[in-house]
Amino acid sequence: MKNKLDRLLNLSLQGKISSIYILTNLFVCLVNILLILGMNRMSNEMELVYQDNLKLNELLAILDDVQNNMTDYLNAKTSDSLEKYYRSSQDYQALVEELNDEISGSAFDRMKRNIRHMSARYLEITDQTIEAKRGRNVEKYRIRYENATQMYDYINTYINSLNNQQFKNNSANYNELAQAFRLFEMIGIAIILVIIFMNINSIIKLVGAIISPLKTLAKSADEVAKGNFDIELLEVQSRDEIGVVTGAFNQMIISIREYIERIRHGMEVERVMKEKELLMEAHLKDAQLKYLQAQINPHFLFNTLNAGAQLAMLEGADKTYQYVQNVAEFFRYNVKKSNEHVTIREEIELVDNYIYILNVRFSGEIHYEKKVDPSLLGIEMPSMILQPIVENCVNHGIREMAGEGRIWLSVYQIDDTACISIRDNGVGIRQEMIEKMIGGSYKEENLKTDSNGIGMDNVIARLKLFTESEEVMSIISDGADKGTEFILYLSVKEREEDDV
């Protein structure tokens, strides 16, 4: 019972109303069917009351046909009258065989049994009469005809007597059935009226139970419209549309209360913030000045180096000119490209300048080799990506090793992906450090004074934003003193679509 109630509560509003309508109508329909079947059964019984009288009347009619057809043949002796006799004789024989031949205590059954036996004897005599007539035995068919006529009169009288007695008995039964039929009609009408009343009452109660939560919801909504948000939350009694709306209404009330509380808290915080606003203005101005200075310094340094390069060229110091020119190009790239997208070609040129500067500073201790697919040099990527990786290889790989340092840079394509590999033969990186760098949780401490300040976490984060993918870099290190390889992944397909 509980499971059925739960299933009813889980129905939609349309399902509940439809179920009530269908069930009540099915119940009324079932009652009507039962009443109709009962009335049909009583009607059939009333029709069967005079069935015996009808059969006896039919038996009398066929008996008359047999007697008349026999008489016609005896008078006219035609084939047509003979055929009619045999046909009526067979019909009468068939009706007689339907009469009860069993021994019974009922007077009507005994009379039917006697009629059956007398009829069999009568048909036997009429057949003999016809045969005597056909054999031209006048004396014999005359006697047989008289016997047949006598037997006919006796059977006719017997059938009429039985018919009258059965009619009287059936009339009494018919009156009883008619009274019972009228009583059944009255009971049926009363039952239908009671069922209709019960259905109307059930529908009113069930629909009222369905609509009651909606009335409660409307009342609470009216209170909220008046600005009263301290009302009690409504109980969700079902999972239909009204239950869903009730739950949403409760959630709305909770959200409004939380929003009002946040506004109050925000106003309090704003008041405190305003008290500190004057103090913050001075600090803000200082920060703005420092920011402007930070922008001016790289430009000033680039212009100063460029002037030094021009001076070295005028004095004929070619190596000094080339060195200062590379340093100037390095800073120019930082100044102009720091917030732009660049091509792989431009990034590789920056790496070339950076390694040239390092080799001048450290007497050429870094051997640099590159192998590049020219068709991939036009692919765009974020600026300042490759140089920080090479810087990481130098500072944390090559400088901490004993012996000759090497860096290999290669650009190649695998399917729709352009791969940029930067490999060194340094001391390598521990696996836990690789996981931190890939995950973005690695923070480089005690940066070298000659670093550009861009860490690997910054490089990986900008690559993810640019490619809109998490798989932007692989770091491979086989262990101590076996070097490290950084592999970057850029989409070639996107670049081709942009070119089109």
Side-chain angles (χ1 to χ4, degrees):
M1 184 66 182
K2 185 178 179 181
N3 293 333
K4 292 181 179 179
L5 182 61
D6 290 339
R7 285 197 295 269
L8 180 61
L9 291 175
N10 290 333
L11 288 176
S12 64
L13 191 60
Q14 181 181 1
K16 290 179 180 178
I17 296 175
S18 300
S19 299
I20 294 172
Y21 178 80
I22 292 172
L23 290 175
T24 53
N25 281 276
L26 284 177
F27 187 61
V28 172
C29 182
L30 179 62
V31 172
N32 285 330
I33 290 173
L34 293 176
L35 292 176
I36 291 172
L37 291 176
M39 294 177 69
N40 287 336
R41 184 178 61 81
M42 296 189 71
S43 298
N44 293 333
E45 290 179 358
M46 293 178 69
E47 291 178 358
L48 293 175
V49 167
Y50 293 105
Q51 191 69 29
D52 291 339
N53 292 107
L54 293 175
K55 288 185 177 180
L56 289 175
N57 290 334
E58 185 179 4
L59 190 65
L60 283 173
I62 299 299
L63 178 64
D64 290 340
D65 289 342
V66 173
Q67 183 67 23
N68 293 333
N69 290 330
M70 180 188 66
T71 302
D72 290 342
Y73 178 75
L74 294 178
N75 293 329
K77 198 179 179 181
T78 62
S79 60
D80 183 56
S81 59
L82 180 63
E83 182 180 355
K84 289 181 179 180
Y85 165 75
Y86 282 124
R87 187 183 300 113
S88 59
S89 176
Q90 291 175 358
D91 293 340
Y92 184 71
Q93 180 67 32
L95 289 176
V96 167
E97 288 179 355
E98 292 179 2
L99 296 175
N100 184 30
D101 192 33
E102 297 180 357
I103 299 174
S104 173
S106 172
F108 293 143
D109 290 340
R110 289 196 299 271
M111 293 179 71
K112 291 178 181 179
R113 187 169 183 272
N114 291 335
I115 291 173
R116 178 168 178 164
H117 289 289
M118 287 188 295
S119 296
R121 177 58 182 164
Y122 169 72
L123 292 175
E124 182 181 349
I125 294 174
T126 56
D127 288 341
Q128 292 175 358
T129 303
I130 294 299
E131 291 298 326
K133 177 65 176 177
R134 296 180 69 181
R136 301 180 182 276
N137 190 339
V138 177
E139 183 64 20
K140 190 173 182 178
Y141 84 75
R142 184 181 62 81
I143 296 173
R144 295 286 188 274
Y145 176 74
E146 290 177 355
N147 291 336
T149 302
Q150 184 179 6
M151 182 67 70
Y152 161 76
D153 293 335
Y154 189 74
I155 292 173
N156 197 357
T157 303
Y158 209 85
I159 291 176
N160 284 325
S161 176
L162 176 61
N163 197 6
N164 291 332
Q165 292 183 24
Q166 281 193 341
F167 183 79
K168 292 179 182 179
N169 185 66
N170 290 337
S171 296
N173 292 336
Y174 181 83
N175 291 331
E176 292 179 359
L177 288 173
Q179 292 178 0
F181 187 78
R182 286 191 291 271
L183 179 62
F184 187 81
E185 285 182 336
M186 294 176 63
I187 294 173
I189 293 172
I191 290 174
I192 291 175
L193 292 176
V194 171
I195 294 300
I196 292 175
F197 174 77
M198 291 175 61
N199 281 342
I200 293 174
N201 187 48
S202 300
I203 290 174
I204 291 174
K205 289 184 176 180
L206 291 173
V207 172
I210 293 173
I211 301 300
S212 178
L214 190 58
K215 292 180 179 178
T216 304
L217 178 61
K219 184 177 179 182
S220 299
D222 185 59
E223 289 293 322
V224 172
K226 294 177 181 178
N228 180 16
F229 299 106
D230 295 328
I231 61 174
E232 294 184 3
L233 298 180
L234 302 177
E235 180 183 358
V236 180
Q237 299 177 351
S238 62
R239 297 183 182 90
D240 56 12
E241 291 84 351
I242 297 177
V244 173
V245 174
T246 302
F249 180 79
N250 289 338
Q251 188 60 43
M252 182 190 70
I253 295 298
I254 294 172
S255 299
I256 291 175
R257 290 174 182 173
E258 292 176 351
Y259 179 69
I260 292 173
E261 184 62 29
R262 285 197 300 269
I263 290 177
R264 290 174 181 172
H265 179 70
M267 292 175 66
E268 180 65 22
V269 172
E270 185 177 357
R271 184 185 63 82
V272 176
M273 293 283 291
K274 284 183 178 180
E275 293 178 356
K276 299 179 180 180
E277 186 174 353
L278 295 175
L279 295 175
M280 293 178 63
E281 286 182 358
H283 298 292
L284 179 59
K285 290 179 180 179
D286 291 340
Q288 290 173 343
L289 289 173
K290 291 179 180 178
Y291 175 74
L292 291 173
Q293 185 179 10
Q295 285 184 317
I296 293 171
N297 286 340
H299 287 279
F300 177 77
L301 182 58
F302 164 69
N303 292 329
T304 301
L305 289 172
N306 196 34
Q310 296 297 326
L311 182 60
M313 182 181 64
L314 292 175
E315 293 179 350
D318 294 337
K319 291 185 178 180
T320 303
Y321 167 75
Q322 187 176 2
Y323 174 74
V324 175
Q325 187 67 27
N326 275 276
V327 174
E329 289 295 323
F330 181 82
F331 279 99
R332 184 180 66 82
Y333 186 90
N334 279 268
V335 171
K336 293 185 177 182
K337 304 293 185 179
S338 58
N339 293 318
E340 299 178 6
H341 293 161
V342 298
T343 62
I344 294 178
R345 177 183 287 106
E346 292 174 302
E347 279 288 283
I348 292 177
E349 289 175 355
L350 179 64
V351 171
D352 294 343
N353 290 332
Y354 177 69
I355 292 181
Y356 174 82
I357 293 169
L358 290 180
N359 281 330
V360 171
R361 291 178 59 194
F362 302 106
S363 302
E365 67 177 18
I366 300 174
H367 294 268
Y368 171 57
E369 297 179 15
K370 59 182 179 180
K371 182 179 180 182
V372 178
D373 184 349
S375 64
L376 303 176
L377 292 177
I379 296 177
E380 287 191 345
M381 63 183 296
S383 64
M384 297 303 295
I385 294 294
L386 300 185
Q387 186 271 331
I389 296 175
V390 173
E391 182 179 325
N392 185 82
C393 293
V394 173
N395 292 338
H396 300 289
I398 294 176
R399 288 188 181 176
E400 296 180 6
M401 63 172 284
E404 184 180 70
R406 289 183 176 273
I407 291 179
W408 294 271
L409 188 148
S410 58
V411 181
Y412 55 92
Q413 181 174 345
I414 299 178
D415 297 330
D416 294 331
T417 303
C419 302
I420 304 175
S421 170
I422 299 175
R423 182 166 57 91
D424 64 61
N425 63 338
V427 297
I429 304 177
R430 297 191 306 274
Q431 186 62 36
E432 58 268 21
M433 191 66 70
I434 292 176
E435 293 176 358
K436 288 183 178 181
M437 293 173 71
I438 294 297
S441 61
Y442 173 71
K443 300 295 182 182
E444 188 174 359
E445 299 177 355
N446 300 324
L447 290 172
K448 305 289 183 180
T449 56
D450 57 354
S451 171
N452 67 0
I454 300 176
M456 290 299 299
D457 56 336
N458 181 285
V459 169
I460 295 175
R462 287 190 295 124
L463 278 173
K464 289 180 178 179
L465 288 174
F466 178 79
T467 61
E468 298 181 353
S469 172
E470 292 295 321
E471 303 295 330
V472 296
M473 181 184 291
S474 297
I475 302 176
I476 303 171
S477 182
D478 295 331
D481 301 324
K482 292 187 178 181
T484 304
E485 182 179 12
F486 297 83
I487 305 176
L488 284 65
Y489 305 106
L490 298 172
S491 175
V492 177
K493 187 176 182 181
E494 292 181 359
R495 173 240 180 175
E496 291 174 351
E497 291 176 353
D498 293 339
D499 293 342
V500 173

